[in-house]
Amino acid sequence: IANAVAAFELYGGPCITIDFGTATSFGAISAKGEFLGGAICPGLKLAADALTERTAKLPRFELVKPESVIGRNTVANMQASIVYGYIGQIKYLVNRMKREMGVEGIKVIATGGLAVLVAGESSVIDVMDGLLTLKGLRIIYEKNAGKA
């Protein structure tokens, strides 16, 4: 909710927020500031950890963007699938949400610790705001304290 509040207050509506944390959470906000709903999927690190912890022989790997989507070894293959796979997932979900929202001018705001890993590669993200959640908590506090 804090992300939705901050996104609407700072960037206006309609908008879509994407929070790249333990889970990757999407939120759709109307032009009036109403939270319409969203989608939640495993975060990049959670997916990478599951890949190595739940398989017999795949090694742990650093979660970085490889140079190519076609890996030349097991680690590069896993990095490519997680990073570039999530970039594709983000593009699909955002485009589908925009279609379902049925309005023009929807801004997409990304936040969270792992946003920098994919935001530069994603053509659907308009704004990177690493402090969106904290800004939202401040806005909520100020509204409740009668300061806004």
Side-chain angles (χ1 to χ4, degrees):
I1 292 295
N3 285 343
V5 168
F8 183 76
E9 289 287 324
L10 300 172
Y11 304 105
C15 61
I16 296 170
T17 60
I18 310 171
D19 188 346
F20 293 91
T22 304
T24 300
S25 305
F26 297 76
I29 298 100
S30 76
K32 296 178 184 177
E34 305 156 314
F35 181 75
L36 303 173
I40 301 172
C41 53
L44 286 103
K45 185 168 178 358
L46 187 63
D49 289 346
L51 189 61
T52 59
E53 291 172 12
R54 300 289 188 160
T55 57
K57 302 214 180 208
L58 293 177
R60 287 193 157 286
F61 62 97
E62 185 179 3
L63 193 53
V64 295
K65 183 177 66 177
E67 291 180 24
S68 173
V69 74
I70 301 171
R72 301 250 182 224
N73 58 54
T74 302
V75 169
N77 293 343
M78 293 187 297
Q79 289 169 329
S81 68
I82 296 295
V83 176
Y84 293 114
Y86 267 75
I87 292 166
Q89 180 181 32
I90 291 156
K91 182 177 181 180
Y92 179 83
L93 287 172
V94 165
N95 287 334
R96 179 72 186 254
M97 290 175 93
K98 284 181 173 182
R99 234 179 14 254
E100 289 182 16
M101 290 171 75
V103 295
E104 295 294 318
I106 299 171
K107 292 177 207 74
V108 179
I109 302 102
T111 193
L114 295 171
V116 294
L117 189 59
V118 297
E121 288 285 329
S122 178
S123 60
V124 298
I125 296 173
D126 300 310
V127 177
M128 255 293 293
D129 188 335
L131 298 176
L132 193 65
T133 302
L134 292 175
K135 290 175 182 178
L137 291 172
R138 180 187 48 80
I139 291 166
I140 292 168
Y141 169 78
E142 289 175 353
K143 286 183 180 287
N144 285 326
K147 294 181 181 181

